[in-house]
Coordinates of all heavy atoms in Angstrom, one line a residue:
M86 N -12.0 -7.7 16.3 CA -11.8 -8.3 15.0 C -10.6 -7.6 14.3 O -10.6 -6.4 14.2 CB -13.1 -8.2 14.1 CG -12.9 -8.8 12.8 SD -14.3 -8.6 11.6 CE -15.5 -9.7 12.4
Q87 N -9.8 -8.4 13.7 CA -8.7 -7.9 12.9 C -9.0 -8.1 11.4 O -9.5 -9.1 11.0 CB -7.4 -8.6 13.2 CG -6.9 -8.4 14.6 CD -5.6 -9.1 14.8 OE1 -5.3 -10.1 14.3 NE2 -4.8 -8.5 15.7
L88 N -8.8 -7.0 10.7 CA -9.1 -7.0 9.2 C -7.8 -6.8 8.4 O -6.9 -6.2 8.8 CB -10.1 -5.9 9.0 CG -11.4 -5.9 9.7 CD1 -12.2 -4.6 9.5 CD2 -12.2 -7.1 9.3
I89 N -7.9 -7.3 7.2 CA -6.8 -7.1 6.2 C -7.5 -6.4 5.0 O -8.5 -6.9 4.5 CB -6.2 -8.4 5.8 CG1 -5.5 -9.1 6.9 CG2 -5.2 -8.2 4.6 CD1 -5.0 -10.4 6.7
D90 N -6.9 -5.3 4.6 CA -7.3 -4.6 3.3 C -6.6 -5.4 2.2 O -5.4 -5.3 2.0 CB -6.9 -3.2 3.4 CG -7.3 -2.4 2.1 OD1 -7.6 -3.0 1.1 OD2 -7.3 -1.2 2.2
T91 N -7.3 -6.1 1.4 CA -6.7 -7.0 0.4 C -6.4 -6.3 -0.9 O -5.9 -7.0 -1.8 CB -7.6 -8.2 0.2 OG1 -8.9 -7.8 -0.3 CG2 -7.8 -9.0 1.5
H92 N -6.8 -5.1 -1.0 CA -6.5 -4.4 -2.3 C -6.6 -2.9 -2.2 O -7.7 -2.4 -2.0 CB -7.6 -4.9 -3.4 CG -7.2 -4.5 -4.8 ND1 -7.1 -5.4 -5.8 CD2 -7.0 -3.3 -5.3 CE1 -6.8 -4.7 -6.9 NE2 -6.8 -3.4 -6.6
N93 N -5.5 -2.3 -2.2 CA -5.5 -0.8 -2.3 C -4.2 -0.4 -3.1 O -3.3 -1.2 -3.3 CB -5.6 -0.1 -0.9 CG -4.4 -0.3 -0.1 OD1 -3.3 0.0 -0.5 ND2 -4.5 -0.8 1.1
H94 N -4.2 0.9 -3.5 CA -3.1 1.4 -4.3 C -2.5 2.6 -3.6 O -2.5 3.7 -4.2 CB -3.6 1.7 -5.7 CG -4.1 0.5 -6.5 ND1 -3.2 -0.3 -7.1 CD2 -5.3 0.0 -6.7 CE1 -3.8 -1.3 -7.7 NE2 -5.1 -1.2 -7.4
L95 N -1.9 2.4 -2.4 CA -1.2 3.4 -1.7 C 0.0 3.9 -2.5 O 0.6 5.0 -2.2 CB -0.8 3.0 -0.3 CG -1.9 2.8 0.7 CD1 -1.4 2.2 2.0 CD2 -2.6 4.1 0.9
D96 N 0.4 3.2 -3.5 CA 1.6 3.6 -4.3 C 1.3 4.6 -5.4 O 2.3 5.1 -6.0 CB 2.3 2.3 -4.9 CG 1.4 1.6 -5.8 OD1 0.2 1.4 -5.5 OD2 1.9 1.1 -6.9
T97 N 0.1 5.0 -5.6 CA -0.2 5.9 -6.6 C 0.0 7.4 -6.1 O 0.1 7.6 -4.9 CB -1.7 5.8 -7.0 OG1 -2.6 6.1 -5.9 CG2 -2.0 4.4 -7.6
H98 N 0.1 8.3 -7.1 CA 0.4 9.7 -6.8 C -0.7 10.3 -5.9 O -0.4 11.3 -5.2 CB 0.6 10.5 -8.0 CG 1.7 10.0 -8.9 ND1 3.0 10.0 -8.5 CD2 1.7 9.4 -10.1 CE1 3.8 9.5 -9.4 NE2 3.0 9.1 -10.4
R99 N -1.9 9.8 -5.9 CA -3.0 10.3 -5.1 C -2.6 10.3 -3.6 O -3.1 11.2 -2.8 CB -4.2 9.5 -5.3 CG -5.3 9.8 -4.3 CD -6.5 8.9 -4.6 NE -7.3 9.5 -5.7 CZ -8.4 8.9 -6.1 NH1 -8.8 7.8 -5.6 NH2 -9.0 9.5 -7.1
F100 N -1.8 9.4 -3.1 CA -1.5 9.3 -1.7 C -0.1 9.9 -1.4 O 0.4 9.7 -0.2 CB -1.6 7.8 -1.3 CG -2.9 7.3 -1.4 CD1 -3.3 6.4 -2.4 CD2 -3.9 7.6 -0.4 CE1 -4.6 5.9 -2.5 CE2 -5.2 7.1 -0.5 CZ -5.5 6.3 -1.6
E101 N 0.6 10.5 -2.3 CA 1.9 11.0 -2.0 C 2.0 11.9 -0.8 O 2.9 11.8 0.1 CB 2.5 11.8 -3.2 CG 3.0 11.0 -4.3 CD 3.5 11.8 -5.4 OE1 3.0 12.9 -5.7 OE2 4.4 11.2 -6.1
S102 N 1.0 12.8 -0.6 CA 1.1 13.8 0.5 C 0.6 13.2 1.8 O 1.0 13.7 2.9 CB 0.2 15.0 0.2 OG -1.2 14.6 0.0
D103 N -0.1 12.1 1.8 CA -0.6 11.5 3.1 C -0.4 10.1 3.2 O -1.1 9.3 3.9 CB -2.1 11.9 3.3 CG -3.0 11.4 2.2 OD1 -2.5 10.8 1.2 OD2 -4.2 11.6 2.3
F104 N 0.7 9.6 2.6 CA 0.9 8.1 2.6 C 1.0 7.5 4.0 O 0.4 6.5 4.2 CB 2.2 7.8 1.8 CG 2.8 6.5 2.1 CD1 2.2 5.4 1.5 CD2 3.9 6.3 2.9 CE1 2.6 4.1 1.8 CE2 4.4 5.0 3.1 CZ 3.7 3.9 2.6
K105 N 1.7 8.2 4.9 CA 1.8 7.6 6.3 C 0.5 7.7 7.0 O 0.2 6.9 7.9 CB 2.9 8.4 7.0 CG 4.3 8.2 6.5 CD 4.9 7.0 7.0 CE 6.3 6.9 6.6 NZ 7.0 5.8 7.2
Q106 N -0.3 8.7 6.7 CA -1.6 8.9 7.5 C -2.6 7.8 7.2 O -3.4 7.4 8.0 CB -2.2 10.3 7.1 CG -1.3 11.4 7.6 CD -1.8 12.7 7.1 OE1 -2.7 12.8 6.3 NE2 -1.2 13.8 7.6
V107 N -2.7 7.3 5.9 CA -3.7 6.4 5.6 C -3.5 5.1 6.3 O -4.5 4.6 7.0 CB -3.7 6.1 4.0 CG1 -4.6 5.0 3.7 CG2 -4.1 7.4 3.3
P108 N -2.3 4.4 6.4 CA -2.3 3.2 7.2 C -2.4 3.5 8.7 O -2.9 2.6 9.4 CB -0.9 2.6 6.8 CG -0.2 3.6 6.0 CD -1.2 4.6 5.6
A109 N -2.0 4.6 9.1 CA -2.1 4.9 10.5 C -3.6 5.0 10.9 O -4.0 4.5 12.0 CB -1.4 6.3 10.9
Q110 N -4.4 5.6 10.1 CA -5.8 5.7 10.4 C -6.5 4.3 10.3 O -7.4 4.0 11.1 CB -6.5 6.7 9.4 CG -6.2 8.1 9.6 CD -6.7 8.6 10.9 OE1 -7.8 8.2 11.4 NE2 -6.0 9.5 11.6
A111 N -6.0 3.5 9.3 CA -6.6 2.2 9.2 C -6.3 1.3 10.4 O -7.1 0.6 10.8 CB -6.0 1.5 7.9
R112 N -5.1 1.5 11.0 CA -4.8 0.7 12.2 C -5.7 1.1 13.3 O -6.1 0.2 14.1 CB -3.3 1.0 12.6 CG -2.3 0.4 11.7 CD -0.9 0.7 12.2 NE 0.0 0.6 11.1 CZ 0.7 1.6 10.5 NH1 0.5 2.9 11.0 NH2 1.4 1.4 9.5
K113 N -6.1 2.3 13.4 CA -7.0 2.7 14.5 C -8.4 2.0 14.4 O -9.1 1.9 15.4 CB -7.2 4.2 14.4 CG -6.0 5.0 14.8 CD -6.3 6.5 14.8 CE -5.0 7.3 15.1 NZ -5.2 8.7 15.0
V114 N -8.8 1.6 13.2 CA -10.1 0.9 13.1 C -9.9 -0.6 13.0 O -10.9 -1.3 12.6 CB -10.9 1.5 12.0 CG1 -11.3 3.0 12.2 CG2 -10.2 1.3 10.6
G115 N -8.7 -1.1 13.2 CA -8.5 -2.6 13.3 C -8.0 -3.2 12.0 O -7.9 -4.4 12.0
I116 N -7.5 -2.5 11.0 CA -6.9 -3.1 9.9 C -5.4 -3.3 10.2 O -4.7 -2.4 10.6 CB -7.0 -2.2 8.6 CG1 -8.5 -2.0 8.3 CG2 -6.3 -2.7 7.5 CD1 -8.8 -1.1 7.2
V117 N -5.1 -4.6 10.2 CA -3.7 -5.0 10.6 C -2.7 -5.2 9.5 O -1.5 -5.4 9.7 CB -3.8 -6.3 11.5 CG1 -4.6 -6.0 12.7 CG2 -4.3 -7.5 10.7
A118 N -3.2 -5.2 8.2 CA -2.3 -5.4 7.1 C -3.0 -4.9 5.8 O -4.2 -4.8 5.7 CB -2.0 -6.9 6.9
H119 N -2.2 -4.6 4.8 CA -2.6 -4.1 3.5 C -1.9 -4.9 2.5 O -0.7 -5.0 2.5 CB -2.3 -2.6 3.3 CG -2.9 -1.7 4.4 ND1 -4.1 -1.0 4.2 CD2 -2.5 -1.4 5.6 CE1 -4.3 -0.3 5.2 NE2 -3.4 -0.5 6.1
I120 N -2.6 -5.3 1.4 CA -2.0 -5.9 0.3 C -2.1 -4.9 -0.9 O -3.1 -4.4 -1.2 CB -2.8 -7.2 -0.2 CG1 -3.0 -8.2 1.0 CG2 -2.1 -7.8 -1.4 CD1 -1.7 -8.7 1.6
L121 N -0.9 -4.5 -1.4 CA -0.8 -3.5 -2.4 C -0.5 -4.2 -3.8 O 0.7 -4.6 -4.0 CB 0.2 -2.5 -2.1 CG -0.2 -1.4 -1.1 CD1 -0.4 -2.0 0.3 CD2 0.8 -0.3 -1.1
P122 N -1.4 -4.3 -4.7 CA -1.1 -5.0 -6.0 C -0.2 -4.0 -6.8 O -0.5 -2.8 -6.9 CB -2.5 -5.1 -6.6 CG -3.5 -5.0 -5.6 CD -2.8 -4.1 -4.5
G123 N 0.8 -4.6 -7.4 CA 1.7 -3.8 -8.2 C 1.4 -4.2 -9.7 O 1.9 -5.1 -10.2
V124 N 0.5 -3.4 -10.3 CA -0.1 -3.8 -11.6 C 0.6 -3.0 -12.7 O 0.3 -3.3 -13.9 CB -1.6 -3.6 -11.6 CG1 -2.3 -4.5 -10.7 CG2 -2.0 -2.1 -11.4
I125 N 1.5 -2.1 -12.4 CA 2.2 -1.4 -13.5 C 3.7 -1.6 -13.2 O 4.3 -1.2 -12.2 CB 1.9 0.1 -13.4 CG1 0.4 0.3 -13.7 CG2 2.7 0.9 -14.5 CD1 -0.1 1.7 -13.6
R126 N 4.4 -2.3 -14.1 CA 5.7 -2.7 -13.9 C 6.7 -1.5 -13.6 O 7.5 -1.6 -12.7 CB 6.2 -3.4 -15.2 CG 7.6 -4.0 -15.0 CD 8.1 -4.7 -16.3 NE 9.4 -5.1 -16.2 CZ 9.8 -6.4 -15.9 NH1 8.8 -7.3 -15.8 NH2 11.0 -6.7 -15.8
S127 N 6.5 -0.4 -14.2 CA 7.4 0.8 -14.0 C 7.2 1.3 -12.6 O 8.0 2.1 -12.1 CB 7.1 1.9 -15.0 OG 5.8 2.3 -14.9
W128 N 6.2 1.0 -11.8 CA 5.9 1.4 -10.5 C 6.4 0.4 -9.4 O 6.3 0.7 -8.2 CB 4.5 1.7 -10.2 CG 3.9 2.9 -11.0 CD1 4.5 3.6 -12.0 CD2 2.6 3.4 -10.9 NE1 3.7 4.6 -12.5 CE2 2.5 4.4 -11.9 CE3 1.5 3.0 -10.2 CZ2 1.3 5.1 -12.0 CZ3 0.3 3.7 -10.4 CH2 0.2 4.8 -11.3
W129 N 6.9 -0.8 -9.8 CA 7.2 -1.8 -8.9 C 8.3 -1.4 -7.9 O 8.2 -1.6 -6.7 CB 7.7 -3.1 -9.6 CG 6.6 -3.8 -10.3 CD1 5.2 -3.5 -10.2 CD2 6.7 -4.9 -11.1 NE1 4.5 -4.4 -11.0 CE2 5.4 -5.3 -11.5 CE3 7.8 -5.7 -11.5 CZ2 5.2 -6.4 -12.4 CZ3 7.6 -6.7 -12.4 CH2 6.3 -7.1 -12.8
N130 N 9.3 -0.7 -8.3 CA 10.4 -0.2 -7.4 C 9.8 0.7 -6.3 O 10.1 0.6 -5.1 CB 11.5 0.4 -8.1 CG 12.4 -0.6 -8.8 OD1 12.4 -1.8 -8.5 ND2 13.0 -0.2 -9.9
N131 N 8.9 1.6 -6.7 CA 8.3 2.5 -5.8 C 7.4 1.7 -4.8 O 7.5 2.0 -3.6 CB 7.5 3.6 -6.5 CG 6.8 4.6 -5.6 OD1 7.5 5.2 -4.8 ND2 5.5 4.7 -5.7
L132 N 6.7 0.8 -5.3 CA 5.8 0.0 -4.4 C 6.7 -0.8 -3.4 O 6.3 -0.8 -2.2 CB 5.0 -1.0 -5.3 CG 4.2 -2.1 -4.5 CD1 3.1 -1.4 -3.7 CD2 3.6 -3.1 -5.5
L133 N 7.7 -1.4 -3.8 CA 8.6 -2.1 -2.9 C 9.2 -1.2 -1.8 O 9.3 -1.5 -0.7 CB 9.7 -2.9 -3.6 CG 9.2 -4.0 -4.6 CD1 10.3 -4.5 -5.4 CD2 8.6 -5.1 -3.7
Q134 N 9.6 0.0 -2.3 CA 10.1 1.0 -1.3 C 9.1 1.4 -0.3 O 9.4 1.5 0.9 CB 10.7 2.2 -2.1 CG 11.3 3.2 -1.2 CD 11.7 4.5 -1.9 OE1 11.4 4.7 -3.1 NE2 12.5 5.3 -1.3
L135 N 7.9 1.7 -0.8 CA 6.8 2.1 0.2 C 6.5 1.0 1.2 O 6.4 1.2 2.4 CB 5.6 2.5 -0.6 CG 5.6 3.7 -1.4 CD1 4.3 3.9 -2.2 CD2 5.8 5.0 -0.5
C136 N 6.4 -0.2 0.7 CA 6.1 -1.3 1.6 C 7.2 -1.6 2.6 O 6.9 -2.1 3.7 CB 5.8 -2.6 0.7 SG 4.2 -2.5 -0.1
S137 N 8.4 -1.3 2.2 CA 9.5 -1.5 3.2 C 9.5 -0.5 4.3 O 10.1 -0.7 5.4 CB 10.9 -1.4 2.5 OG 11.2 -0.1 2.1
Q138 N 8.7 0.6 4.2 CA 8.6 1.6 5.3 C 7.6 1.2 6.4 O 7.7 1.8 7.5 CB 8.2 2.9 4.6 CG 9.2 3.5 3.7 CD 8.7 4.8 3.0 OE1 8.0 5.6 3.7 NE2 9.0 5.0 1.8
E139 N 6.7 0.3 6.1 CA 5.7 0.0 7.1 C 5.6 -1.6 7.2 O 5.5 -2.2 6.1 CB 4.3 0.6 6.7 CG 4.3 2.1 6.6 CD 4.4 2.8 7.9 OE1 4.0 2.2 8.9 OE2 4.7 4.0 7.9
D140 N 5.6 -2.1 8.4 CA 5.6 -3.6 8.5 C 4.3 -4.2 8.1 O 4.2 -5.4 7.7 CB 5.8 -4.0 10.0 CG 7.2 -3.7 10.4 OD1 8.1 -3.6 9.6 OD2 7.4 -3.6 11.7
D141 N 3.2 -3.4 8.0 CA 1.9 -4.0 7.7 C 1.5 -3.8 6.2 O 0.4 -4.1 5.8 CB 0.8 -3.5 8.6 CG 0.7 -1.9 8.6 OD1 1.6 -1.3 8.1 OD2 -0.3 -1.4 9.3
L142 N 2.4 -3.3 5.4 CA 2.2 -3.2 4.0 C 2.9 -4.3 3.2 O 4.1 -4.5 3.4 CB 2.7 -1.8 3.4 CG 2.1 -0.6 4.1 CD1 2.6 0.7 3.4 CD2 0.6 -0.6 4.0
H143 N 2.2 -5.0 2.3 CA 2.7 -6.2 1.6 C 2.5 -6.0 0.1 O 1.3 -5.9 -0.3 CB 2.1 -7.4 2.2 CG 2.2 -7.6 3.6 ND1 3.3 -8.0 4.3 CD2 1.3 -7.3 4.6 CE1 3.1 -8.0 5.6 NE2 1.9 -7.6 5.8
P144 N 3.6 -6.0 -0.7 CA 3.4 -5.9 -2.1 C 2.9 -7.2 -2.7 O 3.3 -8.3 -2.3 CB 4.8 -5.6 -2.6 CG 5.7 -6.2 -1.6 CD 5.0 -6.1 -0.3
A145 N 2.2 -7.1 -3.8 CA 1.7 -8.2 -4.6 C 2.1 -7.9 -6.0 O 1.2 -7.3 -6.8 CB 0.2 -8.5 -4.4
I146 N 3.3 -8.1 -6.4 CA 3.8 -7.8 -7.7 C 3.2 -8.7 -8.8 O 3.2 -9.9 -8.6 CB 5.3 -7.9 -7.8 CG1 6.0 -7.0 -6.7 CG2 5.9 -7.6 -9.2 CD1 5.8 -5.5 -7.0
G147 N 2.7 -8.1 -9.8 CA 2.2 -8.9 -10.9 C 1.5 -8.1 -12.0 O 1.4 -6.9 -11.8
L148 N 1.2 -8.7 -13.1 CA 0.5 -8.1 -14.2 C -0.8 -8.7 -14.4 O -0.9 -9.9 -14.3 CB 1.4 -8.1 -15.4 CG 2.8 -7.5 -15.3 CD1 3.6 -7.7 -16.6 CD2 2.6 -5.9 -15.1
H149 N -1.8 -7.9 -14.8 CA -3.1 -8.4 -15.1 C -3.3 -8.7 -16.5 O -2.7 -8.0 -17.4 CB -4.2 -7.4 -14.6 CG -4.2 -7.3 -13.1 ND1 -5.2 -8.0 -12.4 CD2 -3.5 -6.6 -12.3 CE1 -5.0 -7.7 -11.1 NE2 -3.9 -6.8 -11.0

């Protein structure tokens, strides 16, 4: 079964030190894509940059 993580915040500072490890581990258990909501406008550029580094990361820019 292939799964999609429909909501995570890999763009936050919490994941700075292990950003590459999180999606790599997720792939091992069958997660084939991640949707990263961009809910803070000032972080959008960082979000887009992070998502450009991995084919399975997809930004969802928007405000709540």
Side-chain angles (χ1 to χ4, degrees):
M86 175 185 294
Q87 294 182 329
L88 302 171
I89 296 173
D90 181 341
T91 62
H92 190 123
N93 70 53
H94 293 280
L95 289 175
D96 60 319
T97 63
H98 299 295
R99 171 183 276 180
F100 295 104
E101 280 180 333
S102 64
D103 59 356
F104 165 72
K105 294 275 188 180
Q106 295 171 354
V107 173
Q110 289 294 325
R112 286 182 205 110
K113 290 180 183 179
V114 297
I116 297 175
V117 298
H119 302 262
I120 309 299
L121 282 69
V124 297
I125 300 174
R126 185 180 178 101
S127 62
W128 293 4
W129 288 354
N130 287 334
N131 183 52
L132 174 65
L133 294 171
Q134 181 183 14
L135 290 175
C136 288
S137 72
Q138 295 178 36
E139 302 285 338
D140 291 338
D141 54 353
L142 301 181
H143 306 282
I146 302 292
L148 299 173
H149 292 260

